[in-house]
């Protein structure tokens, strides 16, 4: 069996939050017991509403945040056991593309130096070949070398995201975590960035974790899709499995919101009742049961459903998922 590139085991991350300055601190369960594997050369899509914990999970995987419980393994080794030198090497093999291209770039630095900074940190380039290496990276993502001395405010949103992609590529990583890489961009620019990421994946043999709330983006890019709700993964499987034979009612609701041009593919939009519960006070039992059209309170409000394999390679956290027809 192929060894996974990255693995999460029972990850948990809680934040202490106060409703008022004098109130008692309460635990906000941003990530609550997540486990999965990401294989070499694979693209895993991570879907869910805002506030479901997707970005926090991405930061935990890259050690930008430290988990309260659980562990992250890279090439079958726990990140906790890494020495400072090994952690620096891990930083070189894993990079992140941030959601907001307006705030993820230093406004005081020239674009060439933003892209080339990782080369200096990891001592990959000398002063002689530095400019040529940065120019090659800029060309790779569709930026002209003449932009080297310009500043981020002189670029459009799509161009700034290309700068972020070039910076991530600078150290020849094996894994890139892309946190909502196109959500802040115009629709016409989104397609360009998606196609660029796909081309770079094949050229550099990259693995991706793509975080997005737009399932149509993940359908186009991902080999597998994991769906998060209130800090937990509620369904994970191969992309076509999830889209054609979903096993969780939350996935069904998300898919019903995906627009289709073909009339025969259009489905009735599912409007979930209520709002997503507060992670400060999650529901008992299944976290989705207050909004679920299939919930049976005597079971769903009492017993938390485990994430288990319902079909080969297709896992879901639902007591009655196989009773649903799709």
């Amino acid at each position: 069996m192929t060894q996974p590139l990255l693995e999460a085991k029972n990850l948990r991350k809680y934040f202490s939050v106060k409703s008022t300055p004098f109130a008692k601190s309460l635990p906000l369960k941003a990530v609550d017991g997540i486990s999965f594997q990401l294989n070499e050369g694979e693209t895993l899509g991570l879907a869910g509403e805002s506030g479901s914990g997707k970005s926090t999970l991405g930061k935990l995987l890259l050690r930008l945040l430290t988990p309260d419980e659980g562990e992250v393994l890279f090439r079958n080794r726990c990140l906790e056991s890494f020495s400072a030198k090994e952690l620096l090497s891990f930083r070189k093999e894993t990079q992140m593309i941030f959601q907001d291209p307006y705030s993820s770039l230093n406004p005081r630095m020239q674009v060439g130096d933003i892209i080339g900074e990782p080369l200096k940190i990891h001592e990959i380039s000398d002063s002689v070949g530095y400019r040529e290496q940065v120019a090659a990276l800029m060309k790779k993502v569709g930026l002209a070398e003449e932009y080297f001395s310009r500043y981020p405010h002189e670029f459009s949103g799509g161009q700034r995201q290309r700068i972020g992609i070039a910076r991530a590529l600078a150290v020849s990583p094996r894994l890139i975590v892309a946190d909502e890489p196109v959500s802040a961009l115009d629709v016409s620019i989104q397609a360009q960035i998606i196609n660029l990421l796909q081309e770079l994946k094949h050229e550099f043999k990259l693995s991706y974790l793509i975080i997005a709330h737009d399932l149509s983006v993940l359908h186009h890019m991902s080999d597998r899709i994991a769906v998060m709700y209130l800090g937990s993964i509620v369904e994970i499987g191969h992309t076509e499995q999830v889209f054609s034979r979903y096993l969780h009612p939350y996935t069904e609701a998300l898919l019903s919101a995906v627009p289709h041009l073909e009339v025969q593919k259009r489905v009735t939009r599912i409007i979930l009742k209520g709002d997503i519960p507060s992670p400060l006070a999650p529901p008992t039992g299944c976290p989705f049961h207050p909004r679920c059209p299939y919930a049976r309170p005597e079971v769903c409000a009492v017993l938390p459903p485990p994430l288990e394999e319902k079909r080969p390679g297709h896992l879901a956290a639902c007591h009655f998922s196989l009773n649903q027809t799709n």
Side-chain angles (χ1 to χ4, degrees), residues 109-168:
M109 291 180 68
Q110 295 179 350
V111 162
D113 290 328
I114 290 173
I115 295 172
E117 187 176 26
L119 298 173
K120 295 179 178 179
I121 291 173
H122 293 279
E123 300 178 347
I124 296 172
S125 177
D126 54 36
S127 57
V128 176
Y130 173 76
R131 175 92 184 203
E132 288 73 18
Q133 283 182 275
V134 173
L137 287 165
M138 294 176 70
K139 181 179 180 181
K140 189 66 67 178
V141 299
L143 295 171
E145 185 182 354
E146 63 195 59
Y147 296 159
F148 187 100
S149 300
R150 295 188 183 181
Y151 290 87
H153 72 270
E154 300 179 70
F155 294 86
S156 67
Q159 289 174 317
R160 293 185 198 191
Q161 198 60 292
R162 290 175 187 270
I163 294 167
I165 293 170
R167 177 176 60 183

Side-chain angles (χ1 to χ4, degrees), residues 143-283:
L143 295 171
E145 185 182 354
E146 63 195 59
Y147 296 159
F148 187 100
S149 300
R150 295 188 183 181
Y151 290 87
H153 72 270
E154 300 179 70
F155 294 86
S156 67
Q159 289 174 317
R160 293 185 198 191
Q161 198 60 292
R162 290 175 187 270
I163 294 167
I165 293 170
R167 177 176 60 183
L169 283 177
V171 290
S172 302
R174 305 310 314 145
L175 168 67
I176 291 180
V177 175
D179 185 4
E180 299 275 11
V182 298
S183 64
L185 307 178
D186 294 338
V187 174
S188 59
I189 306 300
Q190 287 184 10
Q192 296 176 20
I193 298 300
I194 289 170
N195 290 335
L196 173 62
L197 289 171
Q198 292 287 74
E199 291 168 8
L200 295 173
K201 176 190 175 180
H202 296 299
E203 182 175 350
F204 294 98
K205 296 179 173 57
L206 298 168
S207 302
Y208 283 143
L209 175 69
I210 306 290
I211 298 170
H213 62 269
D214 188 340
L215 277 172
S216 59
V217 170
L218 297 182
H219 191 194
H220 181 71
M221 298 186 69
S222 305
D223 301 305
R224 288 189 301 142
I225 290 179
V227 180
M228 280 189 70
Y229 184 79
L230 214 61
S232 301
I233 290 178
V234 296
E235 183 166 359
I236 184 169
H238 294 287
T239 299
E240 294 308 321
Q241 284 180 320
V242 172
F243 268 75
S244 62
R245 304 187 70 195
Y246 50 81
L247 290 171
H248 198 280
Y250 179 59
T251 307
E252 180 185 14
L254 290 180
L255 290 173
S256 76
V258 176
H260 294 283
L261 294 177
E262 300 88 347
V263 175
Q264 62 271 24
K265 289 187 178 181
R266 294 177 187 171
V267 296
T268 303
R269 177 73 184 271
I270 297 173
I271 306 298
L272 295 175
K273 58 186 179 182
D275 297 320
I276 185 170
S278 169
L280 291 172

